[in-house]
């Protein structure tokens, strides 16, 4: 019996000691400065520059402490933020991507602060519009990004083929791909299979706009893409595939195309690929070849390109320091010194006051050059398809089925149309 | 004379075979180490085992971590969490295992079945409720949500492991000790624990390694960079939307394997045969 | 046994059990019940859960007019079953074989053991994913060797081909046999030398020793490894996630059950459905485990004790 009591005693002591051991840091600053929690995703360079921006702000605003909560990738970031929100402990600033629509109900509308804490006058109207959902300003754009095709200038040079024109029609584009194929070595394809990628169906969205039949119109809750239209898209890529202009399904699916590490272009397997302009810096850093941007075919005639907000700064509805948080966001977005530090890491700035500080790297400059040309070939962004993660994932599955020959483009087209209707109805 | 020669050939053969197979296991590590000495933008384009452009910069850059906090801090945090967890598991899982393996009590079958069931529910769905619990305790941004559960034997894997080992020991040992006037706890501490040492060492080793790798819980609960651990630091080198610092990441991955090796080696001497026999004779 | 002794026995036992009981009630039971509750709701995490009764289960198994059946669910179940019933036996075979090789007092045995444990050490790191793709890609190491050494042509791109991608993951799992190997080693260490010595004197060869001494003595450990590897194989997530880049591989061929659960719960924000999937898996695993336990009675010898 004594032994048992001894055990219990040891147990109790140990447990108490452990409790005493870990004093949470946040508790220490209870009565002190205002603490703002900024949750974002990123790595390496982004973390360094964000910290520099934080230090600058803190030096100008004593009494405010900003705690960065960084996750390596967007996936981790959202799982963590979701869990924290569900536990009632969400951060003050939440970095958002295109999925801002899904979070509309938990974000603080910023309209009340526009003009005072948040200087919206110097921000491009299109950027403001992209962050406005159901009439409320829910997110401040961190910068602008555009869809683009990226090509490996060095690789094309080595093959002896001419460099591509910046703007082409679909016919010219196909001819160019055929020309590339004749010059490129075996095992290297003119273009990666960008029809639909594992996390991205932007080219499909582009093509829908190019034909004047947008993927989704929120006002009427309908899609302009019919089964026949989807079928034509599948046939377009099937034609490319049959002629060796894009790799066969087996090889294409070895590259997830979500970033430089899973890119066929960087691996030297394709000369042309897809990316968003704010990714150029990252891609260029992953290779010694020179990368350049060109437009999607047919953009000049139809203005089917668009400028998308790269990311958003949003405020948690339950934030305890809304005013201070918004002031910091204003600093990040509009202050020229902050812009110099942050560069276009989160998108090319949409604020005229920030742009005054100029481009911060050669890759940045190329992005700005591209936007000079592509900007006028753009129009207002299409509404996002509801449940877009599921939409992307299932669309990719259907696309692969066609690519691997399990399903015909006719059936594929029907399935895509059904999918769209189902996602809208959900 | 002939038998001796046969034995020698046999043991040399075994040695060679072990080495050959082992080298097959080694290739990935060799590739990893080689990659850590290559420049980031050549890692994927230069796939060979020998770097064309040897560089040490990955180790420098990698150690600096994310600027505001370096890998020195990450390692310190990881060590603290893992050592405490390993010790706690060894202690409390064996206590629980002893009860299940040797003692008689009402409800034993039910409790055992429930314990096994706790192993079967995928952890993703208990993430949110656990977060709610730990938040209500105020333990967010501390090491507590990761360590404290080990003090309450929530890792049923090790309980079951130790149960199986303890059941393999002859019951006479217990009985003779009881006759000698030893209490249950004494039997546990003086007899059972030493005899199941390999299993306890296994518990310590695995708890350490698995806690080290438990990236998601660390990500969820450790919110300020000062509390970040090594896996979190490694993930921070990879950015899903742009710049990835593969070189430093590989370099730090190599470094992060070192503690595991050291632990493995230092625990080797406890994998000693023959402890079981001494118990019976004494 | 007197009543007093009985009471004392029970009290002692429960005293030993106290830490686990506290942990079970405070930290495990509530989350389990919460997730059971969630399985009957639709929960997109950002809004409170909404009760929908059996809908999630219906969508998984039969589908209805309004809610078509989820074909990806059954696919994930199939993929996982294939994975479990192939990788677990293979893994255990290797683990036991190598453990027996390692059970010697050779000079550098510590280093050898470490060697075989390395694959497991690399675990679910991103480095493994990169490596595996290097080896099994269309232009990867394996194909290079097959072409140069064996002059084979027209080889598939294993890791991105729906027919073979699962096999590369099975191979990955088997390659990481370190953990069960260590456990077998610990078990082998506990078998008294005397048994082998005595049987040698009686003229028993290595094979007979293996069948009549090693296997029976090791049986509780074999059982442990079998059950635990099976349970963990059913829940396998990390390797599939990193190798397929979170997508479930070409044409959902590497869409493990836990991966699909994760995608449904955190990706599509259908936490209720994910919870339902979790409970279905729990029932499947529990049923198989129960069968194992029931049928093990006659096969396992727990020494001279029980």
């Amino acid at each position: 019996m004594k032994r048992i009591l001894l055990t219990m005693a040891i147990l109790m002591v140990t447990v108490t000691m452990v409790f005493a051991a870990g004093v949470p840091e946040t508790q220490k600053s209870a009565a002190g400065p205002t603490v703002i929690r900024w949750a974002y995703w990123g790595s390496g360079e982004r973390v360094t520059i964000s910290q520099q921006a934080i230090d600058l702000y803190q030096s100008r605003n004593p009494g405010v402490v900003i705690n960065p909560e960084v996750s390596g990738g967007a996936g981790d970031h959202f799982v963590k933020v979701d869990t924290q929100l569900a536990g009632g402990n969400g951060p003050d600033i939440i970095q958002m991507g295109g999925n801002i629509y899904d979070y509309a109900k938990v974000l603080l509308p910023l309209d009340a602060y526009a003009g005072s804490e948040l200087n919206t006058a110097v921000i491009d109207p299109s950027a403001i519009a992209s962050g406005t959902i159901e009439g409320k300003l829910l997110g401040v754009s961190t910068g602008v990004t555009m869809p683009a095709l990226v090509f490996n200038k060095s690789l094309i040079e080595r093959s002896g083929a001419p460099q591509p024109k910046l703007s082409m029609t679909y016919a010219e584009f196909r001819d160019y791909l055929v020309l590339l194929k004749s010059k490129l070595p075996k095992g290297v394809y003119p273009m990666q299979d960008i029809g639909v990628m594992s996390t991205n169906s932007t080219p499909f969205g582009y093509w829908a706009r190019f034909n004047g039949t947008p993927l989704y119109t929120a006002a009427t809750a309908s899609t302009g893409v019919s089964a026949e239209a989807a079928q034509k898209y599948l046939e377009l890529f099937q034609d490319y595939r049959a002629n060796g202009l894009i790799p066969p399904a087996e090889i294409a699916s070895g590259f997830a195309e979500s970033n430089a590490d899973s890119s066929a272009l960087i691996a030297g397997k394709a000369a042309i690929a897809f990316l968003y302009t704010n990714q150029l810096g990252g891609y260029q850093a992953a290779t010694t070849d020179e990368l350049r941007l060109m437009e999607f075919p047919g953009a000049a005639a139809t203005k089917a390109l668009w400028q998308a907000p790269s990311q958003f700064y949003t405020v948690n509805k339950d934030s305890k320091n809304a005013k201070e948080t918004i002031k910091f966001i204003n600093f990040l977005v509009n202050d020229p010194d902050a812009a110099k530090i942050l560069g276009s890491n989160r998108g090319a700035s949409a604020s005229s006051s920030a742009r005054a500080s100029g481009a911060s790297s050669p890759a940045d400059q190329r992005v700005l050059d591209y936007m000079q040309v592509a900007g006028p070939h753009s129009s207002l962004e299409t509404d996002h398809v509801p449940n877009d993660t599921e939409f992307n994932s299932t669309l990719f599955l259907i696309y692969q089925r066609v690519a691997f020959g399990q399903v015909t483009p006719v059936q594929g087209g029907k399935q895509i149309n059904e999918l769209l209707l189902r996602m809208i109805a959900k | 004379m002939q038998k001796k020669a046969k034995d020698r050939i046999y043991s040399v053969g075994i040695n060679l075979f072990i080495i050959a197979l082992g080298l097959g296991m080694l290739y990935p590590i060799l590739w990893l180490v080689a990659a850590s000495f290559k420049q980031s933008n050549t890692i994927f384009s230069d796939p060979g085992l020998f770097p064309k452009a040897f560089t040490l910069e990955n180790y420098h850059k990698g150690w600096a971590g994310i600027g505001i906090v370096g890998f020195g801090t990450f390692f310190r945090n990881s060590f603290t969490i893992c050592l405490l967890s390993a010790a706690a598991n060894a202690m409390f899982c064996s206590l629980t295992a002893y009860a299940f393996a040797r003692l008689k009590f009402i409800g034993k079958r039910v409790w055992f079945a429930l314990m096994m069931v706790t192993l079967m529910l995928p952890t993703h769905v208990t993430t949110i409720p656990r977060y709610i619990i730990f938040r209500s305790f105020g333990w967010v941004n501390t090491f507590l949500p990761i360590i404290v559960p080990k003090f309450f034997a929530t890792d049923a894997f090790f309980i079951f492991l130790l149960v199986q080992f303890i059941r393999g020991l002859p019951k006479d040992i217990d009985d003779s000790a009881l006759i000698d006037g030893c209490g249950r706890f004494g039997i546990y501490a003086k007899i059972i624990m030493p005899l199941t040492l390999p299993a306890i060492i296994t518990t310590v080793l695995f708890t350490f390694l698995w806690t080290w790798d438990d990236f998601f819980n660390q990500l969820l609960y450790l919110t300020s960079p000062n509390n970040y651990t090594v896996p979190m630091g490694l993930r921070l080198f990879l950015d899903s939307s742009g710049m990835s610092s593969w070189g430093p990441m590989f370099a730090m991955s190599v470094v992060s394997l070192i503690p595991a090796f050291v632990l493995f080696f230092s625990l080797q001497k406890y994998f000693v045969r023959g402890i079981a026999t001494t118990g019976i004779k004494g | 046994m007197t009543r007093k002794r009985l009471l004392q026995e029970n009290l002692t036992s429960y005293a030993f059990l106290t830490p686990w009981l506290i942990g079970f009630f405070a930290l495990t039971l509530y989350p389990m019940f919460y997730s059971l509750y969630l399985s009957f709701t639709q929960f997109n995490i950002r809004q409170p859960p909404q009760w929908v009764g059996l809908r999630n289960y219906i969508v998984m198994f039969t589908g209805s007019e309004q809610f078509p059946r989820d074909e990806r669910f059954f696919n994930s179940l199939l993929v996982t079953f294939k994975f479990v019933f192939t990788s677990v036996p293979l893994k255990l075979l290797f683990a036991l074989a190598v453990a027996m090789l390692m059970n010697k007092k050779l000079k550098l045995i510590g280093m050898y053991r470490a060697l075989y444990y390395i694959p497991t050490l690399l675990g679910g790191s991103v480095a493994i994913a990169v490596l595996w793709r290097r080896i099994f890609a269309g232009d990867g190491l394996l194909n290079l060797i097959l072409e140069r050494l064996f002059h084979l042509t027209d080889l598939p791109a294993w890791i991105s081909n729906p027919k073979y991608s699962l096999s590369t993951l099975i191979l990955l799992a088997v390659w990481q046999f370190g953990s069960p190997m260590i456990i077998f080693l610990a078990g082998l260490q506990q078998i008294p030398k005397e048994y082998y010595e005595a049987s040698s004197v009686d003229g028993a060869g290595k094979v007979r020793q293996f069948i009549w001494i090693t296997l029976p003595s090791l049986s509780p450990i074999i059982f442990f490894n079998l059950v635990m590897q099976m349970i963990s194989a059913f829940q396998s997530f990390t390797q599939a996630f990193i190798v397929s880049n979170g997508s479930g591989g070409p044409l959902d061929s590497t869409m493990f059950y836990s991966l699909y659960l994760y995608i449904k719960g955190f990706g599509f924000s259908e936490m209720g459905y994910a919870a339902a999937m979790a409970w279905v898996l729990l029932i499947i695993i529990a049923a198989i485990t129960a069968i194992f336990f029931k049928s093990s009675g006659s096969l396992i010898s727990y020494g001279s004790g029980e």
Side-chain angles (χ1 to χ4, degrees), chain B residues 134-155:
Chain B
F134 289 124
R135 173 144 186 268
S136 69
F137 292 163
W139 290 357
V140 178
N141 203 27
T142 68
F143 298 153
L144 295 173
I146 304 171
I147 303 179
V148 172
K150 310 283 191 271
F151 279 82
F152 294 97
T154 50
D155 278 340

Side-chain angles (χ1 to χ4, degrees), chain A residues 19 43 51 70 87 89 261, chain B residues 68 135 139 228 236 239 246:
Chain A
F19 267 76
S43 65
Q51 186 59 45
V70 197
N89 193 25
D261 327 315
Chain B
I68 39 182
R135 173 144 186 268
W139 290 357
Y228 285 4
L236 285 175
D239 182 348
W246 283 100

Side-chain angles (χ1 to χ4, degrees), chain B residues 57 59 75-76 80 91 98 114 121-122 131 152 172 205 248:
Chain B
E57 68 177 16
Y59 283 90
F75 271 99
R76 195 192 62 215
T80 314
M91 169 103 226
Y98 178 66
L114 281 175
L121 192 68
Y131 186 78
F152 294 97
D172 330 344
L205 182 67

Side-chain angles (χ1 to χ4, degrees), chain A residues 1 4 8 11 79 82-83 86 102-103 105-106 198 249-251 253-254 256 258 262 269 389-390 393-394 396-397 400-401 404 406 422 426, chain C residues 8 11-12 15 18-19 43 45-47 68 71-72 133 139 155-157 160-162 245 247 249-252 262 264 266-270:
Chain A
M1 219 30 176
I4 295 161
M8 306 280 299
L11 230 171
V79 175
D82 280 350
T83 312
D102 297 331
Y103 287 81
K105 299 228 164 49
V106 294
S198 72
E250 195 187 66
I251 303 206
S253 61
S258 45
S262 54
K269 293 274 165 293
T389 319
E390 188 176 353
S393 169
T394 321
F396 183 55
L397 189 60
Q400 281 203 308
R401 286 194 188 134
F404 277 103
Q406 280 189 2
R422 212 169 63 224
K426 240 176 145 181
Chain C
Q8 207 187 31
L11 276 179
T12 316
T18 309
F43 181 41
I45 306 181
R46 292 171 283 276
Q47 285 169 289
E71 5 159 84
R72 293 176 97 174
R133 273 184 236 130
D139 56 347
L155 294 161
S160 50
N161 186 317
N245 249 294
S247 68
L251 281 183
D252 275 8
Y262 177 85
K264 271 288 192 178
F266 285 108
F268 301 174
S269 295
E270 289 180 50

Side-chain angles (χ1 to χ4, degrees), chain A residues 188-205:
Chain A
V188 182
Y189 294 85
M191 185 170 77
Q192 161 65 313
D193 187 348
I194 59 174
V196 180
M197 295 162 280
S198 72
T199 47
N200 197 322
S201 56
T202 307
F204 183 49

